[in-house]
Amino acid sequence: MKKIFLLFAAVCALVACDPVSEDISNAGHITIDELKAKTTVTVDKAASGQNGNVISCTTSAPVNAKWNIGGKDFVGNFAKKKMKLGDYTVTLTALCADGTELKVDYPVSCNEITDPLTKYTLWEGEFTVGGWDSAPLRFSDSEGQNFPTLSDDIYFGLKTLILDVKHASDGCQARIMNGWWSTVYAENIPLTSGMKWEVQITEQIAKECAKGNGGEGRDLNLLITNGEATFTSVYYEE
């Protein structure tokens, strides 16, 4: 299993950060058509006949498979995720034993809530922060001012954090970085009044910011780089 893991991680490093994979004893190479024939992406159905909000993905193809659903990666033959309502593209990236990488997109629409998302609140309150003040938006009990230290389950679960922005000044912009100022994960993010700012925790963020399980303990840190913004809650849903 370790040999397959190392092969898959090396190839996927171009598009993702070292996913954990499973040896499914694949051999040789398959075509895109063969991959599609052995792969199914479905959405559950509501009583009304409308598409629900649970996406299920499976493949029996002899490949190492990685799914991207709503911006989150899942490695394995099967993946399942509850979604918000909307249109999505599920991407299957498949690695054949000969090193060939195949990629297939599956458009999906979720029209009705069949399995409600559960909200997990991490912080509630209200504060306003201006440009280049990093402490108020650092997720750290010891070095931040408002947000708690995130657990390893949140980091390595690659949760999507949602911040309620009550107010943002004109031209307000933000950055996603870590508390050591050593890595910028995204920047020039526009913030507007009333928006829900979604911050996707990536594998890189998890490895650099988590406290345990091999994490470097740098803390996720958000930063206002222009203007000011007022925040009232942070949570994730699943």
Side-chain angles (χ1 to χ4, degrees):
M1 183 171 76
K2 290 183 179 178
K3 291 181 180 179
I4 296 298
F5 163 75
L6 291 172
L7 171 64
F8 189 67
V11 174
C12 287
L14 297 175
V15 294
C17 296
D18 300 337
V20 177
S21 189
E22 185 177 341
D23 181 0
I24 57 173
S25 300
N26 55 324
H29 170 73
I30 65 171
T31 66
I32 283 284
D33 288 341
E34 289 170 328
L35 178 63
K36 290 179 179 179
K38 294 177 179 292
T39 300
T40 303
V41 175
T42 61
V43 183
D44 66 326
K45 293 295 182 181
S48 64
Q50 293 256 56
N51 283 350
N53 70 307
V54 181
I55 300 176
S56 297
C57 311
T58 186
T59 184
S60 60
V63 296
N64 287 295
K66 181 181 73 172
W67 311 88
N68 184 279
I69 310 174
K72 184 173 180 178
D73 289 339
F74 300 83
V75 176
N77 294 77
F78 177 76
K80 185 175 183 178
K81 191 174 189 298
K82 290 192 289 186
M83 308 295 292
K84 297 178 181 179
L85 300 185
D87 296 327
Y88 301 93
T89 298
V90 175
T91 299
L92 168 61
T93 302
L95 180 66
C96 300
D98 65 358
T100 305
E101 183 179 288
L102 306 175
K103 188 170 289 188
V104 186
D105 290 335
Y106 295 88
V108 174
S109 293
C110 298
N111 309 118
E112 187 172 330
I113 296 295
T114 48
D115 192 355
L117 292 164
T118 302
K119 181 177 180 180
Y120 296 89
T121 300
L122 302 176
W123 173 86
E124 283 186 324
E126 184 171 326
F127 69 89
T128 299
V129 58
W132 301 99
D133 186 359
S134 64
L137 296 171
R138 180 168 177 162
F139 286 88
S140 172
D141 293 314
S142 59
E143 298 183 73
Q145 291 182 356
N146 298 287
F147 298 159
T149 299
L150 297 178
S151 70
D152 287 356
D153 288 341
I154 291 175
Y155 276 123
F156 290 108
L158 305 183
K159 308 299 186 186
T160 298
L161 305 183
I162 303 171
L163 289 80
D164 283 324
V165 182
K166 181 178 180 180
H167 172 76
S169 61
D170 291 342
C172 184
Q173 291 186 328
R175 170 188 293 178
I176 302 172
M177 62 179 193
N178 62 52
W180 292 5
W181 294 67
S182 57
T183 308
V184 174
Y185 307 110
E187 60 182 337
N188 302 322
I189 302 165
L191 301 185
T192 58
S193 298
M195 75 174 288
K196 294 184 181 297
W197 179 18
E198 295 191 2
V199 177
Q200 172 70 53
I201 295 179
T202 64
E203 290 188 21
Q204 183 182 9
I205 291 175
K207 290 178 179 179
E208 293 183 354
C209 298
K211 298 293 186 183
N213 295 305
E216 298 175 13
R218 302 185 186 190
D219 293 325
L220 178 62
N221 203 164
L222 310 179
L223 180 73
I224 302 300
T225 55
N226 186 63
E228 65 175 28
T230 301
F231 298 91
T232 56
S233 69
V234 180
Y235 60 95
Y236 67 91
E237 297 177 317
E238 62 180 19

